Amino acid sequence: MVSTHSSTAPDAAPVEGAEAPTVLVVDDSAIDRRVAGRLVEKDSGLRAVYAPDGLAALESIAQSAPAVVLTDLQMPGMDGLELVRTVRDRFPTVPVILMTGNGSEEIAIEALRSGAASYVPKRTLAKDLAATVEQVLNAARGDRRQQRLLGSFASVESRLELENDPSLVPALVAYLQGQATQMGACGASDRTRVGVALEEALLNGLYHGNLELSSDLRQDGSGEFERRAKERRYLDPYRDRRLHVTARMRPGEAVFVIRDEGPGFDPSTLPDPTDPANLERASGRGLLLIQAFMDAVSHNTTGNEITLTKRASSPE
């Protein structure tokens, strides 16, 4: 049974009178799921509920849909990959985050292609889980009034210049998600994934392009990356650089062009993000998610512009 039933699962969280949205943690290891659940509760304000495998998770979602599902990949019965596919089909508005470990890299790549919204290596849960959950939840939220308005347009083109303030990115992502959804470029099951891809592309342009910060600074969890980012926002030549965003929408297709004003790079030197060996490399994470969630991705020769294309999938 699902571990929210106290008669059969001692690690279930109490539910009486609880108002906080929930994260459903799915893992066949009782210790691992409790550790993950406590990390989410500590840093996100969500309330953790638990399931030991995919089948129990589906039962729990059917009873009460969580804000997000956090699942291991390798489990008996229904594993994480099959769970991702089934949630996408049956509960398309519920995002799924993977917990990856050694030996599960190829399954994780397939799960991202099949509908998962993001992933976190198990060895970096304490450092990266809260930020990943926040990113996915931000992408999952929508502005219904904005969506109704956008439904009146036959085509939409937007051009924006964004200063180097990462706090503006979630609002822009929500706006672009709304456009893409109303123009039929993405359905309910893809909306969150499109949002995650857009956020990754925008933040890559902001941090690595305009502010010229290396992903290597994130590796030790010291906060040096964040410290330098705040500092460079007010220093020459970084402070006057802008992020240029163009979004072109037509029925069934959305094209996003994001250009920074940094020095660029040689796109041919990028590691293959679909190679399972690169799954845990910080420098390839964003591109992996972007390529998994978009239908086409390309860079200009200078390396300071990325074009993302999302097309309507088959009817849900």
Side-chain angles (χ1 to χ4, degrees), residues 6-311:
S6 59
S7 59
T8 58
D11 63 355
V15 298
E16 290 188 5
E19 298 295 336
T22 59
V23 53
L24 174 61
V25 183
V26 190
D27 198 314
D28 60 313
S29 166
I31 294 176
D32 287 355
R33 65 177 178 258
R34 291 292 292 182
V35 168
R38 285 170 178 163
L39 285 171
V40 175
E41 288 184 331
K42 173 179 177 290
D43 295 321
S44 72
L46 297 175
R47 179 175 58 87
V49 295
Y50 302 94
D53 56 46
L55 291 174
L58 292 175
E59 180 184 338
S60 179
I61 296 170
Q63 292 174 357
S64 179
V68 62
V69 174
L70 179 64
T71 184
D72 190 20
L73 282 170
Q74 297 176 326
M75 298 180 292
M78 177 183 284
D79 64 13
L81 175 57
E82 189 176 354
L83 175 62
V84 165
R85 291 170 172 164
T86 306
V87 170
R88 179 183 173 90
D89 290 340
R90 292 175 52 184
F91 311 101
T93 62
V94 177
V96 181
I97 298 173
L98 310 173
M99 293 184 289
T100 63
N102 291 334
S104 66
E105 291 85 359
E106 291 190 9
I107 302 175
I109 298 292
E110 183 62 27
L112 287 167
R113 291 171 175 160
S114 298
S118 194
Y119 73 95
V120 185
K122 275 194 169 183
R123 65 178 182 82
T124 65
L125 280 182
K127 178 168 67 76
D128 297 330
L129 181 57
T132 301
V133 170
E134 181 181 7
Q135 179 189 51
V136 169
L137 290 179
N138 283 339
R141 297 185 183 106
D143 187 331
R144 298 184 182 276
R145 288 173 296 179
Q146 183 184 79
Q147 290 182 35
R148 288 179 60 192
L149 173 63
L150 287 167
S152 304
F153 290 88
S155 63
V156 178
E157 178 167 330
S158 302
R159 295 178 183 272
L160 305 97
E161 288 189 9
L162 202 67
E163 60 186 277
N164 296 317
D165 183 353
S167 70
L168 299 176
V169 170
L172 176 55
V173 168
Y175 173 73
L176 296 176
Q177 279 178 299
Q179 287 188 330
T181 301
Q182 286 304 311
M183 297 306 292
C186 66
S189 62
D190 279 328
R191 179 184 171 88
T192 297
R193 289 152 54 87
V194 166
V196 169
L198 286 170
E199 181 171 319
E200 289 289 348
L202 289 164
L203 292 178
N204 279 347
L206 191 159
Y207 287 126
H208 306 312
N210 284 348
L211 300 183
E212 298 184 49
L213 292 168
S214 169
S215 296
D216 294 339
L217 293 172
R218 291 188 185 273
Q219 296 285 40
D220 61 4
S222 66
E224 181 66 12
F225 184 95
E226 291 75 14
R227 187 191 67 77
R228 291 197 192 182
K230 291 179 181 178
E231 181 181 74
R232 289 191 179 187
R233 284 181 56 197
Y234 304 101
L235 297 177
D236 287 329
Y238 315 105
R239 65 181 180 186
D240 294 327
R241 292 174 178 172
R242 295 292 181 265
L243 207 58
H244 301 267
V245 183
T246 301
R248 302 184 185 96
M249 312 283 178
R250 62 182 184 179
E253 183 180 80
V255 179
F256 308 96
V257 182
I258 300 168
R259 177 173 59 86
D260 63 69
E261 295 181 350
F265 67 99
D266 181 358
S268 66
T269 64
L270 283 171
D272 179 4
T274 63
D275 183 346
N278 294 325
L279 191 67
E280 296 194 12
R281 291 184 57 174
S283 59
R285 172 188 170 82
L287 188 58
L288 168 61
L289 295 173
I290 291 167
Q291 291 198 349
F293 299 162
M294 291 291 178
D295 294 301
V297 180
S298 63
H299 291 85
N300 66 352
T301 55
T302 307
N304 70 336
E305 179 179 286
I306 185 171
T307 299
L308 292 66
T309 301
K310 181 63 183 174
R311 303 184 185 95

